[in-house]
Amino acid sequence: MTLVRRLALASALVFALGLLLSLVVRIGAVADADRAATEWIHDRAIESETVSGLALAVTTIGNPLTLTAFVVIAAGWLLFHRHGRTAVWLVTVTLVGSMVESLLKIVVGRARPDFDSVFLEPFSKSFPSGHAMNTTVVLGAITVAVVAAATSRRAGAVPAAAIGAVTVAFAVGASRPTLGVHFVSDVIAGWALGVVWLFATRPRQDVEISAEPEPGAPSA
């Protein structure tokens, strides 16, 4: 299956799953628990300048400009090391994933939490959390690209890269209800949809991941 077809199927899958989850979070008991959990987390930021300051710093990692910079830097590194197909895959899946997330927000149309005290003024809808989903997709895709491009000399860094990606994606997502701009369910959905997107668009090693030798490496 080509990348284009897989992107189309992944878009349909993530969109359908997102719509389903948006209905689940509106069920009475789920909605009540969601609101209570979000209020409890947000109260921690109101009570502590340290917590709110840390959340404000961490959440910038998930901003569109920051994530775009990550993708550009990673793609540039891949191109420099002659992994052109991997770079194309990275840029494509992160860009289309962001578009699917934005469209899902518009269709679901969930309002943001209505707390009196918020630390940011978001301008888009609430479900799913774009910070959570896009950070998961971008850092996950970069990790996949690094794994694909890694040589034996760099293989030892792969576990650390994976752990770092998971940690940062978790921290960015957690910062959103802390700042009062997302419900907990928005973030959980964002993480879940991001993982599904990565799994559904994972590259085919034989077609989409380049295997050009590094400079100086012996040719077959």
Side-chain angles (χ1 to χ4, degrees):
M1 185 184 299
T2 64
L3 177 59
V4 173
R5 290 186 62 186
R6 230 170 32 257
L7 284 169
L9 290 174
S11 298
L13 174 62
V14 168
F15 205 84
L17 180 59
L19 291 177
L20 176 62
L21 291 175
S22 72
L23 296 176
V24 171
V25 301
R26 295 177 183 177
I27 298 173
V30 176
D32 291 343
D34 188 20
R35 176 78 185 193
T38 305
E39 288 179 347
W40 185 89
I41 294 173
H42 182 51
D43 285 344
R44 305 290 76 76
I46 296 175
E47 296 169 357
S48 171
E49 291 185 2
T50 300
V51 173
S52 60
L54 181 60
L56 284 167
V58 169
T59 206
T60 59
I61 299 174
N63 289 347
L65 286 178
T66 306
L67 294 179
T68 299
F70 287 163
V71 172
V72 170
I73 292 170
W77 181 88
L78 290 166
L79 289 172
F80 179 78
H81 288 280
R82 299 196 296 176
H83 294 283
R85 293 176 183 172
T86 313
V88 171
W89 174 84
L90 172 63
V91 172
T92 303
V93 299
T94 53
L95 176 61
V96 178
S98 177
M99 294 170 62
V100 171
E101 176 271 324
S102 297
L103 181 59
L104 189 56
K105 272 184 184 290
I106 295 172
V107 172
V108 173
R110 188 185 196 186
R112 298 272 182 166
D114 55 353
F115 297 123
D116 293 332
S117 300
V118 294
F119 298 88
L120 295 171
E121 290 296 334
F123 58 88
S124 62
K125 296 298 182 179
S126 192
F127 185 97
S129 166
H131 275 64
M133 179 173 172
N134 290 329
T135 301
T136 300
V137 169
V138 167
L139 297 186
I142 289 175
T143 302
V144 170
V146 168
V147 170
T151 64
S152 58
R153 296 193 304 274
R154 304 191 192 100
V158 171
I163 293 172
V166 171
T167 301
V168 173
F170 177 83
V172 169
S175 72
R176 306 306 284 171
T178 302
L179 296 172
V181 294
H182 274 293
F183 293 102
V184 170
S185 60
D186 298 333
V187 173
I188 294 175
W191 286 330
L193 295 175
V195 170
V196 170
W197 179 261
L198 287 171
F199 181 80
T201 59
R202 65 193 185 280
R204 287 176 58 191
Q205 188 74 22
D206 59 330
V207 176
E208 294 152 10
I209 294 299
S210 57
E212 299 93 333
E214 291 192 348
S219 57

